[in-house]
Amino acid sequence: MFSWVKQEQGGRNKDGEMYQTVTEGLQSLYLKKLLPLEETYLFHDFHSPALEAADFQSKPMVLLVGQYSTGKTTFIRYLLEQDFPGMRIGPEPTTDGFIAVMHGENEGIIPGNALVVDPRKPFRKLNAFGNSFLNRFICSQMPNQVLQSISIIDTPGILSGEKQRISRGYDFAEVLRWFGERVDRIILLFDAHKLDISDEFSEAIRAFKGQDDKIRVVLNKADQVDTQQLMRVYGALMWSLGKVINTPEVVRVYLGSFWGKPLQNTENRRLFEAESQDLFKDIQSLPRNAALRKLNDLIKRARLAKVHAYIISYLKKEMPSLFGREKKKEELISRLPEIYCILQREHHISPGDFPNVTKMQDMLQHYDFNKFPSLKIKLIESVDKMLATKIAGLMSMIRDEESKAPPAMVSGGAFEGSQDGPFGRGYGEGVSAGADAEDWIVSREKHRYDELFYMLMPVNGKITGVNAKKEMMNSRLPNTVLGKIWKLADCDQDGMLDDEEFALAQHLIKIKLEGFELPGELPDHLVPPFPEHNGV
């Protein structure tokens, strides 16, 4: 069953400790150290199916979740800049199943039942959710540059009310939890006009418990409200999320309008552009962080497997050998919260490492505690050794791999050309303004700056630092910022400013006050045109 590890052992020494790649190392550690513990204590029945080769070797995946008509499918089309097989877009609930959008040489659709028997795809364990789910699960393959680096999972639009939950025919939250454990990024989409979190959406978000570092929130269609309304919408969204995502950290929310149509409200255009670029950078970084994410997920899995082993073995130890088994079983299940506390103290385990107590109590009802295995210390020690020593070696391998051959960032589609050219972020703004102009951009306002300059009583055409400081302090910028502006403007470094240098200083102050960053070095187009300045 797990021949995939044996096939990739060519780069190891006789002790089996050397790995050619981080992926190979993760596979080997899982098979040799963690899998025996999982199988012994029925981890796969209680928590998560066994990992396979495709789980380690797959490309980074992005999972999109949201209520109907929030723009999930449109968001995928926006990133790919082309339609994908099986795509349907409309104001009504159109996506009625899960669609894995992946790279393929030929465009087409693979149905769910065929998909879960393909060992090259990381979906084989979804077979456990049955035909009701598999009939609503497809893989959409197409040759697209974006999909060479990542895969995207589209999900059904979530409706409010009990009917939606009943009519699915499979456990929607459990399917999301399965994907949440395996994807690299979870994007929750909200519509600026649809901020209510329905019961099923709330349940879906809670399914991602323990994956908080993967979650990002996108407030889509934000151009359909003005600035004042947007502030209220943002506040309402954060309030709603605070009730569902129980973490002290504030979740990252990206504002924008993620489709190719003109903005309905342009007053926040700069904000939307900055937010979309930040989101693009986050998605583009996924291939670079993929190995680290898989390593992190393996550590989380190992910690849960250890805790699970302690719980199962404790229940076995407390069971009587002959009489009163059923009564003792019921007592132990009801005392499970107390047992958690006992194990926390005995093994120094964090409360956050324990599985949900209510769900655990429900599942334990179906098992014979006398058939549970006793605690096998060697299995626990093997996993502890893996966490203490082997993982550290893989961490250093990740850094070495990145330095030798950095993974390519996501490119193509909406990611292509967004940084360069006149439509790149910041082009023609702030310090970049005037880079294409034939004249010195500072000269356009120099007549105003000259009035201030001559009011400061220049001597031999220059003002001292003391006099310049008085005027520059009127900007109310911090001294650290003004000091940097002084260094940039004093081109000949004589400790004084002539009229052009003073004008340049005022121009840089204006740039900073408008919210732009200052350059580390003065760009050529901002150097004053007089020969003595150009020679420096």
PDB file of all heavy atoms in Angstrom, residues 401-417:
ATOM      1  N   GLU A 401      17.441  23.967   0.088  1.00  0.00           N
ATOM      2  CA  GLU A 401      16.771  23.816  -1.205  1.00  0.00           C
ATOM      3  C   GLU A 401      16.375  25.172  -1.774  1.00  0.00           C
ATOM      4  O   GLU A 401      16.510  25.430  -2.970  1.00  0.00           O
ATOM      5  CB  GLU A 401      15.524  22.932  -1.057  1.00  0.00           C
ATOM      6  CG  GLU A 401      15.822  21.451  -1.006  1.00  0.00           C
ATOM      7  CD  GLU A 401      14.559  20.595  -1.065  1.00  0.00           C
ATOM      8  OE1 GLU A 401      13.464  21.171  -1.245  1.00  0.00           O
ATOM      9  OE2 GLU A 401      14.669  19.365  -0.938  1.00  0.00           O
ATOM     10  N   GLU A 402      15.880  26.052  -0.896  1.00  0.00           N
ATOM     11  CA  GLU A 402      15.453  27.375  -1.359  1.00  0.00           C
ATOM     12  C   GLU A 402      16.635  28.200  -1.854  1.00  0.00           C
ATOM     13  O   GLU A 402      16.522  28.950  -2.824  1.00  0.00           O
ATOM     14  CB  GLU A 402      14.734  28.117  -0.237  1.00  0.00           C
ATOM     15  CG  GLU A 402      13.339  27.579   0.061  1.00  0.00           C
ATOM     16  CD  GLU A 402      12.643  28.355   1.161  1.00  0.00           C
ATOM     17  OE1 GLU A 402      13.329  29.173   1.822  1.00  0.00           O
ATOM     18  OE2 GLU A 402      11.443  28.134   1.377  1.00  0.00           O
ATOM     19  N   SER A 403      17.791  28.074  -1.198  1.00  0.00           N
ATOM     20  CA  SER A 403      18.967  28.851  -1.609  1.00  0.00           C
ATOM     21  C   SER A 403      19.549  28.336  -2.924  1.00  0.00           C
ATOM     22  O   SER A 403      20.033  29.111  -3.740  1.00  0.00           O
ATOM     23  CB  SER A 403      20.031  28.813  -0.514  1.00  0.00           C
ATOM     24  OG  SER A 403      20.460  27.478  -0.279  1.00  0.00           O
ATOM     25  N   LYS A 404      19.461  27.014  -3.134  1.00  0.00           N
ATOM     26  CA  LYS A 404      20.020  26.448  -4.365  1.00  0.00           C
ATOM     27  C   LYS A 404      19.081  26.636  -5.554  1.00  0.00           C
ATOM     28  O   LYS A 404      19.512  26.968  -6.653  1.00  0.00           O
ATOM     29  CB  LYS A 404      20.301  24.956  -4.162  1.00  0.00           C
ATOM     30  CG  LYS A 404      21.448  24.688  -3.194  1.00  0.00           C
ATOM     31  CD  LYS A 404      21.604  23.192  -2.941  1.00  0.00           C
ATOM     32  CE  LYS A 404      22.688  22.926  -1.899  1.00  0.00           C
ATOM     33  NZ  LYS A 404      22.784  21.481  -1.569  1.00  0.00           N
ATOM     34  N   ALA A 405      17.821  26.398  -5.351  1.00  0.00           N
ATOM     35  CA  ALA A 405      16.841  26.504  -6.448  1.00  0.00           C
ATOM     36  C   ALA A 405      15.524  27.006  -5.886  1.00  0.00           C
ATOM     37  O   ALA A 405      14.639  26.207  -5.553  1.00  0.00           O
ATOM     38  CB  ALA A 405      16.652  25.153  -7.134  1.00  0.00           C
ATOM     39  N   PRO A 406      15.369  28.327  -5.759  1.00  0.00           N
ATOM     40  CA  PRO A 406      14.112  28.870  -5.218  1.00  0.00           C
ATOM     41  C   PRO A 406      12.931  28.470  -6.086  1.00  0.00           C
ATOM     42  O   PRO A 406      13.005  28.548  -7.317  1.00  0.00           O
ATOM     43  CB  PRO A 406      14.338  30.398  -5.277  1.00  0.00           C
ATOM     44  CG  PRO A 406      15.811  30.580  -5.416  1.00  0.00           C
ATOM     45  CD  PRO A 406      16.311  29.376  -6.146  1.00  0.00           C
ATOM     46  N   PRO A 407      11.826  27.991  -5.480  1.00  0.00           N
ATOM     47  CA  PRO A 407      10.641  27.628  -6.263  1.00  0.00           C
ATOM     48  C   PRO A 407      10.100  28.840  -7.030  1.00  0.00           C
ATOM     49  O   PRO A 407      10.121  29.967  -6.518  1.00  0.00           O
ATOM     50  CB  PRO A 407       9.634  27.167  -5.199  1.00  0.00           C
ATOM     51  CG  PRO A 407      10.451  26.872  -3.984  1.00  0.00           C
ATOM     52  CD  PRO A 407      11.621  27.793  -4.043  1.00  0.00           C
ATOM     53  N   ALA A 408       9.655  28.583  -8.246  1.00  0.00           N
ATOM     54  CA  ALA A 408       9.110  29.671  -9.060  1.00  0.00           C
ATOM     55  C   ALA A 408       7.818  30.199  -8.443  1.00  0.00           C
ATOM     56  O   ALA A 408       6.998  29.437  -7.947  1.00  0.00           O
ATOM     57  CB  ALA A 408       8.846  29.172 -10.480  1.00  0.00           C
ATOM     58  N   MET A 409       7.657  31.516  -8.460  1.00  0.00           N
ATOM     59  CA  MET A 409       6.423  32.104  -7.952  1.00  0.00           C
ATOM     60  C   MET A 409       5.299  31.876  -8.964  1.00  0.00           C
ATOM     61  O   MET A 409       5.544  31.599 -10.134  1.00  0.00           O
ATOM     62  CB  MET A 409       6.618  33.603  -7.701  1.00  0.00           C
ATOM     63  CG  MET A 409       7.611  33.915  -6.601  1.00  0.00           C
ATOM     64  SD  MET A 409       7.794  35.692  -6.330  1.00  0.00           S
ATOM     65  CE  MET A 409       6.229  36.094  -5.572  1.00  0.00           C
ATOM     66  N   VAL A 410       4.064  31.965  -8.474  1.00  0.00           N
ATOM     67  CA  VAL A 410       2.915  31.822  -9.358  1.00  0.00           C
ATOM     68  C   VAL A 410       2.957  32.924 -10.414  1.00  0.00           C
ATOM     69  O   VAL A 410       3.140  34.101 -10.090  1.00  0.00           O
ATOM     70  CB  VAL A 410       1.597  31.907  -8.566  1.00  0.00           C
ATOM     71  CG1 VAL A 410       0.406  31.734  -9.491  1.00  0.00           C
ATOM     72  CG2 VAL A 410       1.564  30.854  -7.469  1.00  0.00           C
ATOM     73  N   SER A 411       2.815  32.545 -11.668  1.00  0.00           N
ATOM     74  CA  SER A 411       2.846  33.525 -12.755  1.00  0.00           C
ATOM     75  C   SER A 411       1.759  33.195 -13.761  1.00  0.00           C
ATOM     76  O   SER A 411       1.127  32.143 -13.708  1.00  0.00           O
ATOM     77  CB  SER A 411       4.225  33.526 -13.439  1.00  0.00           C
ATOM     78  OG  SER A 411       4.518  32.245 -13.968  1.00  0.00           O
ATOM     79  N   GLY A 412       1.561  34.124 -14.709  1.00  0.00           N
ATOM     80  CA  GLY A 412       0.512  33.957 -15.702  1.00  0.00           C
ATOM     81  C   GLY A 412      -0.804  34.535 -15.213  1.00  0.00           C
ATOM     82  O   GLY A 412      -0.929  34.956 -14.060  1.00  0.00           O
ATOM     83  N   GLY A 413      -1.816  34.540 -16.066  1.00  0.00           N
ATOM     84  CA  GLY A 413      -3.138  35.048 -15.697  1.00  0.00           C
ATOM     85  C   GLY A 413      -3.085  36.444 -15.135  1.00  0.00           C
ATOM     86  O   GLY A 413      -2.395  37.332 -15.658  1.00  0.00           O
ATOM     87  N   ALA A 414      -3.799  36.680 -14.040  1.00  0.00           N
ATOM     88  CA  ALA A 414      -3.849  38.006 -13.421  1.00  0.00           C
ATOM     89  C   ALA A 414      -2.529  38.384 -12.768  1.00  0.00           C
ATOM     90  O   ALA A 414      -2.306  39.557 -12.450  1.00  0.00           O
ATOM     91  CB  ALA A 414      -4.972  38.043 -12.383  1.00  0.00           C
ATOM     92  N   PHE A 415      -1.636  37.402 -12.552  1.00  0.00           N
ATOM     93  CA  PHE A 415      -0.352  37.680 -11.922  1.00  0.00           C
ATOM     94  C   PHE A 415       0.662  38.235 -12.920  1.00  0.00           C
ATOM     95  O   PHE A 415       1.702  38.747 -12.527  1.00  0.00           O
ATOM     96  CB  PHE A 415       0.226  36.409 -11.295  1.00  0.00           C
ATOM     97  CG  PHE A 415      -0.679  35.779 -10.280  1.00  0.00           C
ATOM     98  CD1 PHE A 415      -1.517  34.731 -10.628  1.00  0.00           C
ATOM     99  CD2 PHE A 415      -0.696  36.226  -8.969  1.00  0.00           C
ATOM    100  CE1 PHE A 415      -2.356  34.144  -9.699  1.00  0.00           C
ATOM    101  CE2 PHE A 415      -1.540  35.650  -8.030  1.00  0.00           C
ATOM    102  CZ  PHE A 415      -2.366  34.611  -8.398  1.00  0.00           C
ATOM    103  N   GLU A 416       0.383  38.094 -14.212  1.00  0.00           N
ATOM    104  CA  GLU A 416       1.331  38.487 -15.245  1.00  0.00           C
ATOM    105  C   GLU A 416       1.230  39.977 -15.542  1.00  0.00           C
ATOM    106  O   GLU A 416       0.157  40.500 -15.801  1.00  0.00           O
ATOM    107  CB  GLU A 416       1.059  37.697 -16.531  1.00  0.00           C
ATOM    108  CG  GLU A 416       2.196  37.726 -17.526  1.00  0.00           C
ATOM    109  CD  GLU A 416       3.405  36.945 -17.025  1.00  0.00           C
ATOM    110  OE1 GLU A 416       3.204  35.911 -16.364  1.00  0.00           O
ATOM    111  OE2 GLU A 416       4.519  37.374 -17.299  1.00  0.00           O
ATOM    112  N   GLY A 417       2.349  40.655 -15.489  1.00  0.00           N
ATOM    113  CA  GLY A 417       2.379  42.066 -15.888  1.00  0.00           C
ATOM    114  C   GLY A 417       1.762  43.010 -14.895  1.00  0.00           C
ATOM    115  O   GLY A 417       1.609  44.201 -15.193  1.00  0.00           O
TER     116      GLY A 417
END
